[in-house]
Amino acid sequence: MNEMMIGLILLGVLFALLATGFWVAFTLIAVSIAGMALIGNDNFGLLFGTSTWASVSDWSLAALPLFIWMGEILFRSNLSKDLFKGLTPWLTGVPGKLLHVNILSCGIFAAVSGSSAATAATIGKMTLPELKRQGYDDKMAIATLAGSGTLGLLIPPSIILIVYGVAAEVSIGRLFMAGALPGLMLVILFMGYTAFWSHRNADKSPQTEKKYTWTEKFSSLLRLIPIGALIVFIIGSIYAGLTTPTEAAAFGVVGSLILAASSRSLSMNTFIDSLMGAVKTSSMIIFILVGAAFLTMAMGFIGIPRMLAENIALLELSPYMLLFILTVMFIILGCFLDGISVVVLTTSIVLPMVIEAGIDPLWFGIYIVLVVEMSQITPPVGFNLFVIQSLTGRNILFVAKAALPFFFLLLAAVLIVTIFPQIVTWLPHTMSRG
């Protein structure tokens, strides 16, 4: 049986198990065992032990539970209220007004949570009821939240960038810096579209709102100083080479505990809840990484990555055509898997082709996250769609339709960074190597 036939059988097994609701990690392990059995290798236990230990003992992964815990702490604090009250006075004169609070709040919270779902849930709980109360268009309020909630995947410290960095053996610190400018570009794109839409649909925004004095505007900024200082410290210390991502994550946990305590939202119950939330999420991700490492080893034994790379090389695809095919593939996979699963499942197979095509693995990490962001707002398994559906009670197709313009904005971002890769690579190349 050749590699192509084995690959097709394993692909069928993979989708069959996923369709039954089988856990992603167990699915990856089962597919690996099936693949090894098809080539007559029955040393499953020994190979599983040797291949998976190396994948989860990497010191870089220590940053993962710490950043997740930091996000869990702030998720249970008064941060979302401070963001809303701190940004509102400055946005009442901008076309779109408080719709921009969704975007900016998600951008700021993304810089301390690293999670797309946590960003959408935290900000949505605060902003959606207030926007509805003030008479904003329900569809656009949902759209801005769904789109900007995906920023949690890209703006550092991003959990999915840590996973990619470990899987692709790319510096996590440089990946964080690479995501900063594209993240800022997305915020600008989202705000620009929202302002344009609001200008064209002035009748769907409330016309009378409270006027704020300059004194009130500047005093509102005081609410943003603590979280702003935490963001600047985390990103700035990594950029300057003063801390590793793991060390910055540890400082971030301490800072988030101080912020939560100072806002009187830290109790023994919230502390334990945040710790348990971080343990559950981290365990899920590590388990998926274990399954992916075993699958990577099995694919290597079978020879599927080599076969794919050779066949694609024979097609003599240009880098742009390869990226187009990969974009379609990632979007389709994202319709059925969460973002982290997409990354760990495909990196080992796709990366050799990408490197062979002369594409920078650092740039490719940001590209894959942008495409995965698109899948977060596409049915049937767009995680952000489920989060917002639970917040609003709206049909998931209504939420998906509302978010469609932001899907195309994310697609535009992919095109922009493909044409101008310096948006991704410039900042990492200027950071300290200390």
Side-chain angles (χ1 to χ4, degrees), residues 19-218:
T20 64
F22 210 47
W23 284 11
V24 172
F26 282 144
T27 296
L28 298 180
I29 293 170
V31 169
S32 305
I33 293 174
M36 298 294 286
L38 286 172
I39 61 171
N41 191 325
D42 58 0
N43 293 320
F44 308 139
L46 177 62
L47 293 172
F48 180 80
T50 55
S51 65
T52 56
W53 171 249
S55 70
V56 297
S57 60
D58 192 316
W59 175 244
S60 301
L61 276 176
L64 182 72
L66 290 171
F67 276 127
I68 292 172
W69 190 19
M70 183 179 74
E72 290 282 345
I73 294 166
L74 294 173
F75 174 72
R76 291 165 172 80
S77 72
N78 294 324
L79 172 63
S80 58
K81 293 180 181 178
D82 289 339
L83 287 175
F84 190 87
K85 293 177 180 177
L87 293 171
T88 296
W90 292 91
L91 296 170
T92 52
V94 180
K97 301 177 182 178
L98 296 190
L99 289 173
H100 295 290
V101 175
N102 264 351
I103 300 168
L104 289 175
S105 295
C106 285
I108 294 171
F109 191 81
V112 290
S113 77
S115 165
S116 174
T119 299
T122 305
I123 301 305
K125 285 177 184 176
M126 182 66 196
T127 59
L128 289 181
E130 184 64 19
L131 291 172
K132 187 172 184 179
R133 186 186 69 79
Q134 294 198 24
Y136 283 86
D137 181 68
D138 197 29
K139 189 174 182 179
M140 192 60 181
I142 289 173
T144 52
L145 179 64
S148 50
T150 63
L151 294 170
L153 293 177
L154 182 62
I155 295 179
S158 163
I159 303 304
I160 199 169
L161 284 178
I162 296 175
V163 172
Y164 173 82
V166 172
E169 298 181 357
V170 177
S171 165
I172 293 171
R174 295 187 182 281
L175 280 170
F176 280 178
M177 293 304 105
L181 290 182
L184 181 61
M185 178 186 72
L186 277 179
V187 170
I188 294 171
L189 283 174
F190 290 167
M191 292 186 70
Y193 170 76
T194 301
F196 172 77
W197 180 92
S198 300
H199 179 71
R200 294 288 302 272
N201 299 273
D203 58 314
K204 295 184 179 180
S205 296
Q207 301 303 311
T208 56
E209 287 189 17
K210 178 183 175 181
K211 301 296 182 182
Y212 292 89
T213 65
W214 283 104
T215 302
E216 290 174 318
K217 287 183 177 182
F218 282 109

Side-chain angles (χ1 to χ4, degrees), residues 93-377:
V94 180
K97 301 177 182 178
L98 296 190
L99 289 173
H100 295 290
V101 175
N102 264 351
I103 300 168
L104 289 175
S105 295
C106 285
I108 294 171
F109 191 81
V112 290
S113 77
S115 165
S116 174
T119 299
T122 305
I123 301 305
K125 285 177 184 176
M126 182 66 196
T127 59
L128 289 181
E130 184 64 19
L131 291 172
K132 187 172 184 179
R133 186 186 69 79
Q134 294 198 24
Y136 283 86
D137 181 68
D138 197 29
K139 189 174 182 179
M140 192 60 181
I142 289 173
T144 52
L145 179 64
S148 50
T150 63
L151 294 170
L153 293 177
L154 182 62
I155 295 179
S158 163
I159 303 304
I160 199 169
L161 284 178
I162 296 175
V163 172
Y164 173 82
V166 172
E169 298 181 357
V170 177
S171 165
I172 293 171
R174 295 187 182 281
L175 280 170
F176 280 178
M177 293 304 105
L181 290 182
L184 181 61
M185 178 186 72
L186 277 179
V187 170
I188 294 171
L189 283 174
F190 290 167
M191 292 186 70
Y193 170 76
T194 301
F196 172 77
W197 180 92
S198 300
H199 179 71
R200 294 288 302 272
N201 299 273
D203 58 314
K204 295 184 179 180
S205 296
Q207 301 303 311
T208 56
E209 287 189 17
K210 178 183 175 181
K211 301 296 182 182
Y212 292 89
T213 65
W214 283 104
T215 302
E216 290 174 318
K217 287 183 177 182
F218 282 109
S219 63
S220 71
L221 290 179
L222 295 175
R223 295 178 177 273
L224 303 179
I225 290 175
I227 191 61
L230 184 61
I231 293 169
V232 169
F233 174 79
I234 291 172
I235 299 176
S237 63
I238 296 173
Y239 177 79
L242 299 175
T243 65
T244 64
T246 303
E247 292 165 345
F251 283 121
V253 169
V254 174
S256 63
L257 287 170
I258 293 172
L259 286 183
S262 63
S263 66
R264 297 180 180 178
S265 55
L266 181 64
S267 65
M268 183 55 69
N269 285 337
T270 57
F271 179 84
I272 293 173
D273 287 346
S274 68
L275 192 57
M276 290 306 298
V279 168
K280 290 176 182 177
T281 303
S282 302
S283 299
M284 177 196 72
I285 294 172
I286 293 296
F287 200 11
I288 292 174
L289 286 174
V290 165
F294 190 32
L295 181 63
T296 299
M297 184 221 58
M299 294 300 102
F301 269 94
I302 298 167
I304 290 176
R306 175 185 50 78
M307 180 268 296
L308 287 174
E310 289 174 353
N311 286 340
I312 289 177
L314 291 174
L315 295 175
E316 297 183 350
L317 298 174
S318 69
Y320 292 128
M321 183 56 67
L322 175 62
L323 287 173
F324 172 76
I325 293 172
L326 291 177
T327 300
V328 174
M329 181 188 78
F330 286 134
I331 291 174
I332 293 172
L333 283 175
C335 290
F336 303 96
L337 296 170
D338 65 279
I340 290 173
S341 299
V342 171
V343 170
V344 297
L345 181 62
T346 58
T347 298
S348 61
I349 297 174
V350 167
L351 205 58
M353 310 178 206
V354 168
I355 295 172
E356 183 69 25
I359 298 170
D360 185 353
L362 178 74
W363 177 90
F364 186 73
I366 303 305
Y367 153 83
I368 196 174
V369 170
L370 281 169
V371 178
V372 166
E373 281 186 321
M374 294 163 64
S375 70
Q376 294 291 295
I377 51 176

